[in-house]
Amino acid sequence: GAGVSQSPRYKVAKRGQDVALRCDPISGHVSLFWYQQALGQGPEFLTYFQNEAQLDKSGLPSDRFFAERPEGSVSTLKIQRTQQEDSAVYLCASSGSGEQLHFGNGTRLTVT
Amino acid sequence: QKEVEQDPGPLSVPEGAIVSLNCTYSNSAFQYFMWYRQYSRKGPELLMYTYSSGNKEDGRFTAQVDKSSKYISLFIRDSQPSDSATYLCAMSANEGKLIFGQGTELSVKP
């Protein structure tokens, strides 16, 4: 497909479990962003990659959150020892040089 | 206080009405201003993009930016039921990390 693809669409995890969320950006897009969107709120920035380099991770809420993009394409957001407050929609977005962000439809994470 | 403030609504209008949505912000470094539309269980999609101050029109949509007042607006003319969605303002100091408002939920009734 031509858009940003995220998987899984829905994830239920028991508190304390580790989860991994995947993002397939639009082919050739250099920049990749992760955002967290709580219910009824706007997306909040988590981290930013340019190719494989993680240039900004200032939005990651704790050291339980880790993101990688080892080959400059697919990215994975990992959350260790999930907590209830981690329940949210996790959005991935990508952009080409000088272009606007294209968002995926997100992964809805529910921690029980 | 958040960097970007947006009234969450909900806002309900009859079909054909003019809708006015707005955001205020505190960071004078913001130069890029955007409006996104988000349907339920979907990702945000870009509606309007403005650099610095001024107006921009695209069909039924008009975006206005007043940097002196740190205030941005989106106007929707002849609103349609298909416009029912959450509207998010977003802004950035560079063409990268975006700061979003809370989003305004709009419902256009037939």
Side-chain angles (χ1 to χ4, degrees), chain A residues 80-100:
Chain A
Q80 297 177 322
R81 304 181 304 281
T82 52
Q83 304 294 315
Q84 281 195 315
E85 62 263 27
D86 300 335
S87 295
V89 175
Y90 291 85
L91 294 165
C92 176
S94 70
S95 70
S97 178
E99 295 180 2
Q100 302 312 307

Side-chain angles (χ1 to χ4, degrees), chain A residues 5-13 17-25 32-37 46-47 49 60 64-70 73-80 82 86-92 105-111:
Chain A
S5 179
Q6 292 188 246
S7 60
R9 283 283 282 133
Y10 302 92
K11 177 70 179 177
V12 179
Q17 281 185 334
D18 298 349
V19 298
L21 313 180
R22 178 186 168 106
C23 173
D24 283 85
L32 186 145
F33 297 80
W34 283 98
Y35 284 82
Q36 180 190 58
Q37 187 172 24
L46 292 177
T47 188
F49 290 86
L60 296 176
R64 296 186 295 105
F65 286 70
F66 173 76
E68 61 183 5
R69 194 186 185 198
S73 177
V74 171
S75 177
T76 303
L77 176 67
K78 297 179 179 178
I79 310 173
Q80 297 177 322
T82 52
D86 300 335
S87 295
V89 175
Y90 291 85
L91 294 165
C92 176
N105 287 327
T107 294
R108 182 177 298 271
L109 173 65
T110 303
V111 181

Side-chain angles (χ1 to χ4, degrees), chain A residues 9-10 33 35 37 40-45 56 58 91 98 100-101 103-106 108, chain B residues 2 8 34 36 38 41-46 49 88 95-103:
Chain A
R9 283 283 282 133
Y10 302 92
F33 297 80
Y35 284 82
Q37 187 172 24
Q41 301 296 315
E44 293 205 0
F45 171 81
D56 187 344
S58 61
L91 294 165
Q100 302 312 307
L101 291 188
F103 281 86
N105 287 327
R108 182 177 298 271
Chain B
K2 292 185 175 182
M34 285 136 278
Y36 284 82
Q38 186 173 28
R41 301 187 184 277
K42 297 289 189 182
E45 55 177 331
L46 182 66
Y49 167 83
L88 297 154
E95 287 188 296
K97 168 181 166 181
L98 296 180
I99 307 298
F100 283 86
Q102 184 176 352

Side-chain angles (χ1 to χ4, degrees), chain A residues 40, chain B residues 6-13 19-21 85-87 102-109:
Chain B
Q6 182 176 9
D7 188 336
L11 182 61
S12 182
V13 301
V19 176
S20 172
L21 305 168
T86 295
Y87 289 80
Q102 184 176 352
T104 299
E105 185 182 345
L106 172 67
S107 177
V108 181
K109 303 293 187 185

